[in-house]
Amino acid sequence: MTTLPTSTAAVWVHEHGGPEQLVHEQRPLPALGPTDVLVSVDNAAVSGWDLKYRRGLQAGTKLPGRNPFPMPQQLGREAAGTVVATGPETQLLHPGDRVVAVVHPENPYASETHRGLGNLSTGIAIPGHQTLGSYAEYVVRDERLFLPVPDHVDLEQAGVTLWPYGTSHRVLRDRLRVTAGDTLLVTGAAGPMGLATIQLARIFGLRVIATTRHAERADSLRATCGTDVEVVVTEDLGAAAEAVRDLTHGQGVDHAVDYSTSRDLLRFALDVIRLGGRLCPAAGEQNPPGPMPFTVFDLTRLEVDIVGVRGARHDDAVRVLALLADGRLQSPIAARFPLAKAAEAHELMEQGTDVVGRILLKPGA
């Protein structure tokens, strides 16, 4: 009989601050519940939300129906790995199954889910936010918090797909309601969300204009996104706006999605949108904080729709996982770090202005 691990190497944050606050330590594992699975983590991606939680930027933030981020905490929302053991009542997963963590779990009993808005469902605790995340050698979770990964799909690619592509799928299909032939502007395009949105937009038959604030990222962005994606550098916003107008023959873009967090780039996106267009501020915050840089008259003169987004629904996750299985999605991997060097991974993400692609923690390294 195989002896199961009772503890795991993990990375915790006990106090808010810089990367030095990430502590690599041994932590006890909870006992397997009836429908739980024990998963050996192959990879856990580093995300912008991990950095915000570590720095305390989300301290005390409470979304409707969900608890705020607790301290101390084990970070990490994204992960993929292999099932090691299962509880006595599991039905969906078995030892040896390859799995990816569900990053936007839904409460099937919430009224929001019944309204078709499972991404907003209340009464649920999300791993990496309200419960233990994936910065660990092993994790124990209910089997419904994982999806099976086909044998031919790379586990690293699975681990970095559900969050950015799932949310991007919801942005494009449900919030912007794009149609083939539309022109889409993506600001903050070099980040994971931007790259995912660009790939899906091309699958949807859209023309894409991508922006980056860093000239040194432009060539990498062009190489990553493909020659049919126009890249505009926004160091000079006036010149960038003129470039977008030239590319659209003076009409402006049909849709814009902003991942930059920049107040100035959010305004830029509105300035280059066409009459009757749609804008989705999807960065989750604005720097500097404050009211959005629009007036009521801006909305009236353009008759523009401004829509929010908060994560993906389960249907979005299933659809993008199918696209990954079909070989239609590919995320660049910028760097891999052993779990014990999580602080270095955070430093690279914070300081690497020329980094294009995901940064992974590899517990088995």
Side-chain angles (χ1 to χ4, degrees), residues 101-127:
V102 173
V103 295
H104 296 111
E106 299 181 359
N107 177 1
Y109 307 108
S111 62
E112 296 80 15
T113 306
H114 297 160
R115 293 163 54 208
L117 298 170
N119 60 304
L120 304 180
S121 61
T122 56
I124 195 166
I126 296 177

Side-chain angles (χ1 to χ4, degrees), residues 284-308:
E285 62 178 334
Q286 178 183 288
N287 290 315
M292 289 192 294
F294 315 134
T295 65
V296 171
F297 182 64
D298 285 327
L299 307 188
T300 301
R301 69 184 177 83
L302 293 171
E303 199 178 81
V304 66
D305 292 338
I306 298 181
V307 297

Side-chain angles (χ1 to χ4, degrees), residues 7-28:
S7 65
T8 180
V11 173
W12 279 62
V13 54
H14 295 269
E15 296 181 10
H16 296 303
E20 71 280 358
Q21 297 297 339
L22 296 176
V23 179
H24 182 252
E25 55 191 346
Q26 200 73 17
R27 304 287 300 194

Side-chain angles (χ1 to χ4, degrees), residues 8-13 27 69-70 72-76 127-129 131-136 138-139 141:
T8 180
V11 173
W12 279 62
V13 54
R27 304 287 300 194
F69 179 78
Q73 175 63 301
Q74 183 173 298
L75 296 175
H129 288 210
T131 63
L132 299 184
S134 305
Y135 283 18
Y138 296 98
V139 294
R141 295 177 189 166

Side-chain angles (χ1 to χ4, degrees), residues 201-221:
R202 295 173 72 192
I203 291 173
F204 287 3
L206 306 185
R207 181 191 183 194
V208 180
I209 301 173
T211 77
T212 177
R213 285 172 285 183
H214 307 287
E216 61 269 29
R217 273 188 179 176
D219 288 341
S220 296
L221 193 56

